Amino acid sequence: MYERRVKYAIDWFTVIIYLILVICGWISIYGASHTFEQTELFNFDYRSSKQLVWIAGAMIIGVITMLIDYRFYEQISYLFYGLMIIALLATPLLAHDIKGSMSWIVIGPVSIQPAEIAKVATALAIARFMNSYGYRVNSLRDLIIPAIMLLVPMFIIMVPQKETGSALVFASLILMFYREGMTPVILLLGVAAVIFFVITIAFAEATLPLGTGTWGITACMIMLMIICFIYVYHWLKLPRFAFILAGINTAIAAIALTVNIWLNVNMQYVSIAIVLFDAIYTALLGIAHNKRDTIWIAVFAIAAIIYCLSASILISKLKPHQRNRIMVTLGVIEDRAGQGYNVNQAKIAIGSGGLWGKGLGSGTQTKLKYVPEQDTDFIFCTVGEEHGFVGTTFVLLLYLTLLIKLIIMSERQKDNFSRIYGYCVTCILFFHLAVNVGMVIGLVPVIGIPLPFFSYGGSSLWAFTLLLFIFLRLDAARLDRL
Amino acid sequence: MINDKYYYRHWVIMGIITAVVILYVCRLFYLQIIEDKYRRQADSNALVHRTKYAPRGLIYDRHGQLLVFNQPAYDIVVTINEMSKTGGCARFCRDINIDWEYYVDRMSEIKNVNTNRGYSRYTPQIFMTQLRMEDIAQLQEVIHSNHPGFAIQHRTLRDYTYPNAAQVLGSIGEVSQNDIEKDDYYARGDYAGRDGLEYTYEKDLRGEKGEEILLRNSRGRIVGNYAEGKYDSEPKAGTDITLTLDIQLQILAENMLQGKIGSIVAIEPATGEILALASSPTWDPALLVGRQRSKNYNILSNDPTKPLMNRALQAQYSPGSTFKTVQACVALQLEAITPNTTYPCSGPGSAPIKCTHHHGSPVSLLNAIEQSCNPYFWLAYKNTLEKKGYGKNNKDFKAQYNRWRDCVMSFGLGHKFDDSDLYQQSRGSIPSAELYDKWYGATGWKAITIRSNSIGQGEVQITPLQIANAAATIANAGYYITPHLNKADSMLTRRHDTKVDKNYFRYVQEGMWRVFEYGTGRHHKIPGINMCGKTGTVDNNHGRPHSLFIGFAPKENPKIAVAVVVENAGYGATWAAPMASLIMEQYLTDTIARQDLKQRMVTSVTNPNVKKYQ
Ligand SMILES: [Zn+2]
């Protein structure tokens, strides 16, 4: 059932941004993959030529997606999701081991990564579930089922398929949950978890100037003390008690430091003890002033202590290469030959581009294969080297425009299903952009996920096209839903 | 759903996304615009600066005979980062025929940043240098397939037409860290002259290196020239050098010194050009080329006969009776004697110095030279120094001594030829009055104390080059041109006049002519040529006396001056005189008529310890 209206309701602006990104991606692949001797355009030994085939396929997928009735997507979403779970489970059994990952099924000349399609299925299924009657995302109970729908594919991709990067993408849907009414506390806790983790790990090797212990946990504890102080001062509005708290903290620290002259005191544990004291003090203060919610700040402080200690233990239990990846990203260790090699080479390639870049096909770093995965996960290096700061900024602004446009489009949807699905698309694309580019410029650990529409490869291009065009199809139908 | 109570949150999400993009743009601004180090690293990553080595200048003898030229050579370089992690070292050692210890030592040397300051895992490091084609033939076939990280670099090595003149020509070797710091022309792995002419004329011979900038991919594969070779430069070949040496004369001199320790120096008096500069023991210069260089160098430096020492320039001897020629000139100049002065001689019964020859008495100057009469030269020396008495605190005596010393040194004795191109000369010694003051006290020494000087013994020490130059000075009747080796360098032809009037020289020349006519040299005269010479037999503490001879010919128009020293061989007349005579014959007549004599000189051995390094 195809209405003539669709043609006019298609958001051509988004389609054009999509096309520009695909073309820019192809140019970058061309720049990265053809070597100095090889200059022919249409030789199917080269990836740039193969990518043309994938692009053509993506166009067909886009058109077909637009031709199907919009209700179809909501109707088949559970079935699609179920089939995808089965496919994901079957993948490790059929998969060929490609660089330690069990996520690729190779059929003749074509390699397919079902995990890419799983994003589409999961987004559709969650959107449908959250669109069901009487669903309220702001109750924690109602959040459990979508969370499980999310965690199942995430787990399958992460554990049996060993594809951590693709699995983490699902976590990005937390932004969609937030938009749909999830309490921001979860978001803030997530942010706090990341900050505490980074500080604990990054300064795990930095020894305190006096006594024993490291800066990592101590710094987190000092932050918790400050949180307690601000809480008492600002929310409980008891400045006098806040200063008493600060005074006691300072006194304990001073005594510990003095004792330190004769005896070795582990300042790390002293700081933990101070935070425990602060937590109890704040909780009692809250109860005394009839503000029982205060108990949560104490729970938070104690949980944070346990979390920081576990993080420092966890990091020592990680496999060396995983720990190195994290350490290199946090700047704790500089390892230009090992794990850091890729990131360093990527930075060199981008950094050498300058303002205008070296010109298409003239990048020495990418073309000479210093940068690994230069046409897939590290494709952004080619943009940086050959087109400079102008090129990278242009591409980032294109993505920003696309993402803002997707949010605006989501907000103009008249039904929850379309809006939620729109946010899912936004979140997934945003996560890919943030992690891929962040990794290449050395701000995020090396997590191998592709740059949407840019990276070489049929699976990811087709999956992203499908993901985007389903939303464009839903958007085109918004006028029918009146 | 505009009335949705969470509608505001889309602004938060937009804000988060925008913030991340802005953060990334800032980071990119830093990486691409502000920070410069990535651009430099990119260049060192991808651009290989490959040196194009300049062919070293060739060396010719005075007649245009090619002496030193270049042969292709190979270096093995290794890029540690690209080496196979799974071994293959044993196979590599076998292919290049080295032992395992050498491999391990060399690798740890390369990786030692203290000694190898240019070390990097990512750039090629020199593993072995100066290999010949046959050394690498086996390796070359398999290096790309079996030994990742290793590569062969093309260089040139020295090659020699004749197995002679090793000390004069010198050799080349890899530059040291010190060389690199002193002269920024050099880079690790370059060769430079280490000694001899290769060292002295390094700047001319080395030419100018060129450079090629290549693009390299991450596997170390070279994929082409950077910017189509726009920034490449071609090497400039080194300057060829024509020497003053006559290679035939050099070969004859070296052959005659076989089995003996000593040296022969021949100079063209009119020009100061050195025609031959032989030192024995010696070696085939090809032995210090290429891979066996350090091994052979060690053998040579451990040989107790010290072949590495260029005796012609560095050994110091008492000149013995050959010094009487100089003494005669100086005594005439200082008016201690006249050409007609005669002194009595009691033969072996003379005191304080006995005469070693039997002849009539009294003797004239010419007879004294001819007969090498010790008492004559002692009395002449005594008269030279005491002519003005001793004076207060021996002042007048010392003033006279200094005059004598200045005159002697003006013959080029007892000091280096600073304006010459000769490498590592010894100074020799004509002792100063201060030295004797130190030894004996200011008034503690008189003519009699230093009487040995009169006959060229005692503290007078000269090098074979210096005494040859003295012979040339007498041949020139009063001046010498700095002895030198480079024929083309006009800076070297500087004239030095002696402090002796040129009119006195004819008496000494006459005396030296009589040596060949009637004296100790009479058996070695070349028929039809007026030859001048003086033998010397120098007693020493190491066995038989040193055999010395100086001479020049022809008397009326000297073409060649020669000095010969043969250590611990016996009389001057037995060894040094015939050798000098043969050298003159070869040079003046271009052939040797006295083949028997030559054969005897070449085959006889005076020192069985002298080895032949061929
Ligand atoms: Zn006598």
Side-chain angles (χ1 to χ4, degrees):
Chain A
M1 181 172 165
Y2 171 65
E3 317 88 46
R4 291 182 59 176
R5 237 193 226 159
V6 170
K7 193 162 62 182
Y8 307 104
I10 290 176
D11 193 280
W12 288 106
F13 182 77
T14 308
V15 173
I16 286 165
I17 292 180
Y18 163 82
L19 288 174
I20 294 173
L21 282 170
V22 169
I23 290 165
C24 287
W26 183 82
I27 290 172
S28 300
I29 291 165
Y30 174 79
S33 68
H34 94 289
T35 49
F36 286 102
E37 312 85 77
Q38 304 166 333
T39 44
E40 312 156 64
L41 202 52
F42 296 102
N43 180 329
F44 286 89
D45 291 338
Y46 310 145
R47 286 183 148 197
S48 53
S49 310
K50 282 191 196 161
Q51 182 72 359
L52 283 176
V53 178
W54 299 127
I55 291 171
M59 297 301 145
I60 295 166
I61 287 171
V63 171
I64 293 171
T65 309
M66 294 308 288
L67 290 174
I68 293 171
D69 184 284
Y70 70 94
R71 281 164 295 218
F72 172 74
Y73 299 110
E74 188 168 1
Q75 281 157 10
I76 62 132
S77 59
Y78 287 159
L79 179 66
F80 189 25
Y81 179 77
L83 287 174
M84 269 330 292
I85 295 294
I86 293 166
L88 284 177
L89 283 170
T91 302
L93 308 175
L94 306 169
H96 292 243
D97 190 329
I98 296 175
K99 291 181 204 155
S101 156
M102 301 293 285
S103 63
W104 293 86
I105 296 175
V106 180
I107 304 164
V110 187
S111 304
I112 296 169
Q113 201 176 18
E116 300 284 357
I117 317 289
K119 291 168 201 164
V120 184
T122 309
L124 284 171
I126 289 178
R128 176 167 174 188
F129 182 81
M130 288 172 70
N131 188 32
S132 48
Y133 180 75
Y135 179 85
R136 284 171 56 242
V137 80
N138 51 1
S139 85
L140 277 174
R141 213 175 316 121
D142 276 3
L143 204 55
I144 287 172
I145 291 173
I148 289 171
M149 294 172 81
L150 199 67
L151 288 171
V152 168
M154 199 168 158
F155 178 81
I156 299 171
I157 293 170
M158 195 180 310
V159 182
Q161 294 193 7
K162 299 172 192 157
E163 226 358 79
T164 322
S166 300
L168 287 175
V169 174
F170 292 91
S172 67
L173 295 188
I174 196 167
L175 276 180
M176 179 274 293
F177 288 127
Y178 167 71
R179 163 63 186 87
E180 292 307 310
M182 184 189 75
T183 164
V185 171
I186 296 177
L187 208 59
L188 290 174
L189 283 178
V191 172
V194 171
I195 291 172
F196 280 127
F197 183 80
V198 167
I199 290 176
T200 307
I201 302 312
F203 298 102
E205 317 269 295
T207 315
L208 288 168
L210 277 168
T212 50
T214 62
W215 265 116
I217 288 175
T218 314
C220 293
M221 294 306 123
I222 293 171
M223 281 170 63
L224 286 170
M225 293 174 207
I226 294 168
I227 289 170
C228 287
F229 176 84
I230 292 172
Y231 188 85
V232 175
Y233 188 99
H234 204 271
W235 269 275
L236 293 181
K237 300 210 171 8
L238 299 165
R240 207 154 53 88
F241 287 96
F243 285 115
I244 291 170
L245 181 71
I248 293 168
N249 286 357
T250 317
I252 299 174
I255 290 165
L257 284 171
T258 315
V259 174
N260 220 346
I261 298 169
W262 299 283
L263 282 173
N264 255 349
V265 179
N266 191 324
M267 292 306 287
Q268 186 179 310
Y269 294 122
V270 170
S271 66
I272 293 172
I274 295 174
V275 171
L276 279 172
F277 169 81
D278 288 2
I280 295 161
Y281 180 92
T282 312
L284 292 175
L285 216 56
I287 292 163
H289 288 81
N290 271 332
K291 288 186 175 167
R292 293 186 177 274
D293 284 353
T294 309
I295 196 78
W296 290 111
I297 198 78
V299 170
F300 170 72
I302 291 163
I305 292 170
I306 295 164
Y307 175 78
C308 288
L309 287 172
S310 339
S312 68
I313 293 165
L314 176 80
I315 193 80
S316 62
K317 292 274 175 359
L318 278 179
K319 286 181 189 136
H321 75 274
Q322 291 169 323
R323 187 167 64 228
N324 276 353
R325 274 188 190 185
I326 294 170
M327 292 300 206
V328 166
T329 309
L330 296 178
V332 180
I333 52 172
E334 180 150 10
D335 178 14
R336 287 176 51 183
Q339 288 297 331
Y341 177 79
N342 294 355
V343 176
N344 197 54
Q345 292 297 340
K347 283 198 275 186
I348 290 172
I350 291 181
S352 68
L355 180 62
W356 291 102
K358 300 174 185 172
L360 178 61
S362 305
T364 53
Q365 301 303 296
T366 43
K367 195 183 279 211
L368 298 168
K369 317 227 183 301
Y370 282 92
V371 180
E373 316 276 342
Q374 59 205 317
D375 50 7
T376 55
D377 294 349
F378 281 83
I379 186 75
F380 198 66
C381 290
T382 313
V383 181
E385 192 184 10
E386 301 197 337
H387 306 289
F389 180 67
V390 172
T392 51
T393 307
F394 173 72
V395 170
L396 283 178
L397 291 179
L398 267 182
Y399 277 109
L400 181 64
T401 312
L402 176 67
L403 291 169
I404 299 283
K405 176 71 185 168
L406 285 174
I407 291 173
I408 293 168
M409 284 166 70
S410 303
E411 290 298 342
R412 78 183 179 200
Q413 298 310 309
K414 302 204 164 49
D415 65 319
N416 289 332
F417 175 76
S418 304
R419 187 185 67 246
I420 293 169
Y421 180 75
Y423 268 104
C424 287
V425 174
T426 311
C427 290
I428 290 168
L429 292 180
F430 172 58
F431 185 85
H432 272 269
L433 175 75
V435 170
N436 180 284
V437 175
M439 157 185 91
V440 167
I441 61 180
L443 292 178
V444 171
V446 177
I447 296 168
I449 57 172
L451 188 61
F453 316 121
F454 246 73
S455 293
Y456 171 81
S459 281
S460 76
L461 178 61
W462 289 2
F464 284 123
T465 304
L466 187 65
L467 186 75
L468 181 67
F469 275 78
I470 289 176
F471 182 57
L472 285 177
R473 179 67 191 91
L474 296 174
D475 178 65
R478 70 187 185 276
L479 299 176
D480 298 338
R481 290 177 184 263
L482 286 166
Chain B
M1 294 243 169
I2 302 298
N3 49 3
D4 178 349
K5 71 167 173 166
Y6 299 119
Y7 173 72
Y8 76 93
R9 288 187 176 179
H10 87 278
W11 293 114
V12 177
I13 295 171
M14 277 186 189
I16 292 171
I17 294 173
T18 312
V20 167
V21 170
I22 289 171
L23 172 72
Y24 284 9
V25 170
C26 291
R27 171 73 172 170
L28 285 163
F29 186 78
Y30 168 77
L31 286 177
Q32 301 191 283
I33 309 287
I34 296 176
E35 182 59 85
D36 192 37
K37 85 176 181 205
Y38 296 110
R39 194 191 315 273
R40 277 182 277 117
Q41 284 183 9
D43 286 348
S44 70
N45 243 350
L47 303 183
V48 183
H49 294 251
R50 182 181 285 172
T51 308
K52 286 173 151 177
Y53 292 101
R56 220 173 151 78
L58 308 180
I59 301 178
Y60 298 93
D61 93 334
R62 66 188 290 113
H63 303 301
Q65 286 279 342
L66 182 61
L67 302 183
V68 186
F69 55 100
N70 298 313
Q71 58 167 328
Y74 306 88
D75 287 351
I76 295 179
V77 293
V78 59
T79 309
I80 304 289
N81 196 46
E82 291 156 13
M83 281 172 65
S84 161
K85 306 276 186 297
T86 53
C89 315
R91 174 113 196 241
F92 178 76
C93 291
R94 204 165 58 242
D95 285 340
I96 190 66
N97 191 24
I98 53 173
D99 47 28
W100 173 249
E101 285 76 31
Y102 180 85
Y103 178 88
V104 172
D105 287 355
R106 197 63 202 106
M107 277 300 170
S108 59
E109 265 172 55
I110 287 171
K111 289 176 191 168
N112 184 344
V113 187
N114 293 326
T115 51
N116 183 11
R117 284 184 218 167
Y119 174 66
S120 155
R121 288 175 60 79
Y122 302 96
T123 58
Q125 305 288 313
I126 304 265
F127 181 76
M128 286 174 86
T129 61
Q130 303 199 343
L131 304 181
R132 290 170 190 272
M133 188 63 217
E134 58 264 30
D135 295 326
I136 58 131
Q138 196 183 348
L139 180 69
Q140 197 169 32
E141 288 169 24
V142 293
I143 193 158
H144 291 301
S145 49
N146 291 355
H147 307 300
F150 287 95
I152 293 173
Q153 213 171 59
H154 292 247
R155 301 292 293 272
T156 56
L157 280 185
R158 284 310 216 186
D159 207 349
Y160 302 88
T161 319
Y162 303 95
N164 300 91
Q167 286 116 330
V168 178
L169 298 171
S171 60
I172 57 170
E174 207 182 318
V175 291
S176 65
Q177 186 64 38
N178 200 18
D179 297 322
I180 296 170
E181 278 161 22
K182 267 199 301 213
D183 184 345
D184 58 13
Y185 173 83
Y186 295 114
R188 184 150 291 284
D190 283 1
Y191 303 149
R194 306 314 299 168
D195 39 38
L197 285 164
E198 298 275 18
Y199 176 83
T200 319
Y201 288 105
E202 167 65 14
K203 288 217 163 91
D204 300 294
L205 290 168
R206 73 186 181 190
E208 223 173 280
K209 286 185 284 192
E211 191 184 53
E212 195 176 17
I213 304 171
L214 301 166
L215 285 168
R216 170 176 61 187
N217 72 12
S218 64
R219 295 204 182 79
R221 279 263 309 280
I222 299 296
V223 294
N225 279 63
Y226 176 66
E228 279 88 46
K230 208 174 358 172
Y231 302 103
D232 296 0
S233 59
E234 284 303 313
K236 261 197 230 132
T239 315
D240 296 346
I241 290 181
T242 299
L243 299 183
T244 60
L245 284 188
D246 178 324
I247 191 64
Q248 293 311 325
L249 210 57
Q250 179 77 19
I251 292 170
L252 174 65
E254 287 186 16
N255 286 348
M256 289 194 297
L257 286 172
Q258 282 175 43
K260 307 160 193 80
I261 294 180
S263 52
I264 295 177
V265 182
I267 297 175
E268 185 176 68
T271 59
E273 291 176 359
I274 296 173
L275 303 169
L277 193 77
S279 168
S280 176
T282 183
W283 66 93
D284 180 347
L287 291 176
L288 290 190
V289 171
R291 204 170 153 184
Q292 74 275 45
R293 175 183 160 85
S294 63
K295 187 188 82 191
N296 287 339
Y297 193 90
N298 272 337
I299 293 173
L300 290 173
S301 61
N302 289 329
D303 186 327
T305 63
K306 295 189 183 158
L308 287 175
M309 175 180 181
N310 186 352
R311 287 180 160 76
L313 307 180
Q314 287 165 281
Q316 306 184 89
Y317 303 97
S318 296
S321 299
T322 60
F323 189 59
K324 287 169 183 165
T325 56
V326 178
Q327 284 286 52
C329 296
V330 177
L332 287 167
Q333 172 68 24
L334 298 180
E335 292 168 341
I337 56 169
T338 68
N340 303 318
T341 303
T342 59
Y343 285 118
C345 172
S346 325
S350 309
I353 301 177
K354 48 189 180 179
C355 192
T356 51
H357 297 267
H358 298 276
H359 55 83
S361 173
V363 285
S364 66
L365 173 62
L366 298 193
N367 275 328
I369 295 173
E370 175 201 313
Q371 291 301 325
S372 198
C373 179
N374 287 346
Y376 186 97
F377 283 96
W378 151 240
L379 292 168
Y381 188 48
K382 183 175 182 320
N383 201 26
T384 308
L385 301 182
E386 294 181 349
K387 211 172 109 191
K388 294 185 175 156
Y390 278 84
K392 201 176 171 220
N393 288 334
N394 286 0
K395 210 176 113 229
D396 297 340
F397 164 74
K398 274 185 224 168
Q400 197 65 11
Y401 178 83
N402 284 334
R403 244 167 250 137
W404 169 81
R405 183 171 184 260
D406 288 348
C407 284
V408 171
M409 289 180 75
S410 71
F411 283 73
L413 301 174
H415 62 83
K416 291 180 188 176
F417 298 104
D418 291 326
D419 49 354
S420 175
D421 55 358
L422 292 163
Y423 171 75
Q424 281 191 341
Q425 309 167 45
S426 288
R427 208 165 57 84
S429 165
I430 307 297
S432 62
E434 289 74 30
L435 180 79
Y436 287 128
D437 280 351
K438 224 164 79 188
W439 285 6
Y440 305 115
T443 57
W445 58 287
K446 301 184 168 194
I448 186 107
T449 323
I450 56 170
R451 60 184 178 279
S452 305
N453 287 353
S454 66
I455 55 165
Q457 306 259 5
E459 289 77 40
V460 171
Q461 295 279 307
I462 50 82
T463 66
L465 173 74
Q466 287 173 354
I467 198 72
N469 182 62
T473 310
I474 295 167
N476 285 339
Y479 70 91
Y480 67 89
I481 312 290
T482 305
H484 59 274
L485 283 167
N486 185 348
K487 204 161 166 27
D489 196 341
S490 58
M491 287 302 290
L492 296 167
T493 57
R494 203 167 293 146
R495 176 178 163 141
H496 300 263
D497 283 293
T498 61
K499 294 191 166 144
V500 175
D501 191 285
K502 71 176 180 13
N503 291 318
Y504 292 125
F505 282 91
R506 58 194 165 98
Y507 305 108
V508 180
Q509 290 173 351
E510 189 67 19
M512 290 171 76
W513 174 77
R514 292 173 72 133
V515 170
F516 266 111
E517 295 298 318
Y518 317 112
T520 47
R522 63 188 180 278
H523 302 299
H524 305 300
K525 182 177 153 53
I526 310 163
I529 298 176
N530 284 320
M531 299 165 73
C532 301
K534 182 74 196 80
T535 55
T537 303
V538 180
D539 292 323
N540 61 81
N541 304 327
H542 308 284
R544 288 206 278 173
H546 295 332
S547 172
L548 271 71
F549 187 88
I550 64 167
F552 58 89
K555 178 174 174 246
E556 49 289 341
N557 175 26
K559 288 267 191 284
I560 179 170
V562 185
V564 179
V565 178
V566 185
E567 291 183 21
N568 306 111
Y571 294 112
T574 321
W575 298 102
M579 286 184 190
S581 175
L582 287 165
I583 290 284
M584 294 189 210
E585 183 184 1
Q586 168 72 38
Y587 188 68
L588 295 174
T589 68
D590 222 4
T591 176
I592 299 280
R594 297 168 290 171
Q595 283 296 332
D596 293 351
L597 179 64
K598 179 189 160 191
Q599 216 45 45
R600 201 170 81 230
M601 290 296 128
V602 169
T603 53
S604 51
V605 171
T606 63
N607 189 326
N609 295 326
V610 174
K611 292 194 192 74
K612 213 170 165 178
Y613 292 106
Q614 291 293 344

